[in-house]
Amino acid sequence: MRVLVTGGAGYIGSVVTARLLAEGHEAVVVDDLSTGHADAVPPDAEFHQISITEVGPLLAERPVHAVIHFAAKSLVGESSENPSLYWHGNVIGTVTLLDALRGAGVNRIVFSSSAATYGEPERQPITEDAPARPTSPYGSTKLAIDLALTDYARSYGMAPLSLRYFNVAGALHAGDGRSYGERHTRETHLIPNALRAAAGAGAAMSLFGTDYPTADGTCVRDYIHVVDLADAHLRALDATTAGVHHVVNLGSGRGHTVREVLDAIERVTGSPVPVLEADRRPGDVAVLIASNAKAGSLLGWRPTRDLATMIEDAWRFERR
């Protein structure tokens, strides 16, 4: 199968591309490199440095069987500061992509959605039928795309499947000696920031909020390994249905507080993580834990790697 991967020069996109190739598929990567890295694209992938709004001519020359769509702006704080950037880049960009796919006769699309669509949920763990009440423009744009996918499935017979994942960590260390991990210019994720702080390669880590109604006052999040996540994307390619938009949560079904994650990082690295306590960030919710029951029934997927493995793989990538 030849698969178009948008945003394939990013963290998750590069790992999924590597897994596609390892499974014998062809991968055509498009990425404008606004946040991605050209050297993160696996060498056996075909790479085009273009925007998702420019894929129409490419699809005419290079037909594909399916699309995995990652390309997006994804910083919650930035989306609140500049929502126009997110509505143009994420929503208008994706609708332009969908129309190009229709023109090329490509119906199968796996979309990188987000738990941010749920906002502050009423119940834990979160199921796919929970009310969608995003608390940030980023979450709103992901929800808007999900709604568009429902309409495109109903009216045009497209076969979209949205994967709403929670917190992703870890790295892929491939058999050819290459590694694929987190490398953001503006890093906002807990684990890479804490690893760098433990290594003395970064400033003390800011701990945003210590007064949440949780066991130790810090936020609770559901973490999954990026390789488990990639495997779910490959399974999703075979689970799409023409005329139906499937929405599937990806998570471990359990949560860890920020302090629990920091403790685990200290055990793996053997070094303390310097921390500066700070006020809560706007848009952060106390607890986010996913139900993965639908992922199990529809995709036959269960995560197999635990938090310690995520941290060990991420730490190995950081040291490289």
Side-chain angles (χ1 to χ4, degrees), residues 184-210:
H184 300 121
T185 302
R186 181 179 174 185
E187 186 57 75
T188 62
H189 293 161
L190 170 62
I191 289 177
N193 276 334
L195 287 172
R196 292 166 196 173
M205 202 205 73
S206 295
L207 178 55
F208 295 104
T210 58

Side-chain angles (χ1 to χ4, degrees), residues 207-281:
L207 178 55
F208 295 104
T210 58
D211 59 348
Y212 286 98
T214 61
D216 58 26
T218 61
C219 290
V220 173
R221 293 293 182 265
D222 187 338
Y223 290 86
I224 55 173
H225 197 292
V226 68
V227 178
D228 282 331
L229 186 80
D231 290 344
H233 284 75
L234 269 62
R235 289 173 181 265
L237 287 172
D238 295 322
T240 59
T241 305
V244 178
H245 177 211
H246 296 293
V247 176
V248 180
N249 289 342
L250 295 181
S252 68
R254 62 164 297 183
H256 298 277
T257 69
V258 174
R259 291 195 189 278
E260 287 172 344
V261 173
L262 296 179
D263 289 344
I265 286 172
E266 291 183 349
R267 289 193 295 271
V268 168
T269 64
S271 301
V273 179
V275 168
L276 291 175
E277 294 187 1
D279 294 335
R280 298 184 185 187
R281 291 182 301 190

Side-chain angles (χ1 to χ4, degrees), residues 1-315:
M1 182 188 303
R2 185 180 299 125
V3 182
L4 175 68
V5 183
T6 72
Y11 170 39
I12 300 172
S14 64
V15 173
V16 170
T17 301
R19 291 288 299 124
L20 282 168
L21 295 167
E23 292 296 316
H25 300 291
E26 296 179 58
V28 180
V29 170
V30 299
D31 197 303
D32 65 5
L33 299 184
S34 58
T35 56
H37 305 272
D39 62 356
V41 179
D44 291 335
E46 178 182 323
F47 175 49
H48 300 267
Q49 186 180 345
I50 59 175
S51 164
I52 56 173
T53 62
E54 302 171 310
V55 300
L58 173 63
L59 292 174
E61 298 174 1
R62 199 75 170 105
V64 299
H65 303 100
V67 179
I68 304 180
H69 178 32
F70 296 104
K73 300 296 183 183
S74 60
L75 299 178
V76 170
E78 181 184 60
S79 76
S80 296
E81 297 164 3
N82 189 3
S84 174
L85 178 67
Y86 280 67
W87 283 95
H88 277 275
N90 293 1
V91 179
I92 295 176
T94 297
V95 170
T96 304
L97 171 66
L98 291 176
D99 289 339
L101 296 177
R102 286 178 56 216
V106 182
N107 288 332
R108 193 185 312 184
I109 178 168
V110 176
F111 171 55
S112 169
S113 188
S114 172
T117 56
Y118 294 115
E120 185 81 63
E122 298 172 353
R123 291 179 296 176
Q124 303 286 345
I126 304 167
T127 56
E128 289 81 0
D129 59 358
R133 299 167 181 160
T135 57
S136 68
Y138 165 67
S140 296
T141 62
K142 288 291 188 177
L143 178 58
I145 295 168
D146 279 340
L147 294 172
L149 289 172
T150 297
D151 289 340
Y152 272 61
R154 181 185 301 117
S155 298
Y156 304 128
M158 295 192 77
L161 194 154
S162 293
L163 296 174
R164 288 180 176 171
Y165 30 93
F166 287 57
N167 288 59
V168 185
L172 168 64
H173 301 287
D176 61 1
R178 290 176 60 90
S179 293
Y180 304 88
E182 291 196 73
R183 213 160 28 117
H184 300 121
T185 302
R186 181 179 174 185
E187 186 57 75
T188 62
H189 293 161
L190 170 62
I191 289 177
N193 276 334
L195 287 172
R196 292 166 196 173
M205 202 205 73
S206 295
L207 178 55
F208 295 104
T210 58
D211 59 348
Y212 286 98
T214 61
D216 58 26
T218 61
C219 290
V220 173
R221 293 293 182 265
D222 187 338
Y223 290 86
I224 55 173
H225 197 292
V226 68
V227 178
D228 282 331
L229 186 80
D231 290 344
H233 284 75
L234 269 62
R235 289 173 181 265
L237 287 172
D238 295 322
T240 59
T241 305
V244 178
H245 177 211
H246 296 293
V247 176
V248 180
N249 289 342
L250 295 181
S252 68
R254 62 164 297 183
H256 298 277
T257 69
V258 174
R259 291 195 189 278
E260 287 172 344
V261 173
L262 296 179
D263 289 344
I265 286 172
E266 291 183 349
R267 289 193 295 271
V268 168
T269 64
S271 301
V273 179
V275 168
L276 291 175
E277 294 187 1
D279 294 335
R280 298 184 185 187
R281 291 182 301 190
D284 276 348
V285 299
V287 180
L288 287 174
I289 300 174
S291 166
N292 56 27
K294 187 173 180 179
S297 61
L298 183 63
L299 308 182
W301 177 86
R302 288 282 188 278
T304 62
R305 298 161 178 85
D306 61 11
L307 179 65
T309 303
M310 295 177 218
I311 293 171
E312 288 163 2
D313 286 342
W315 180 229

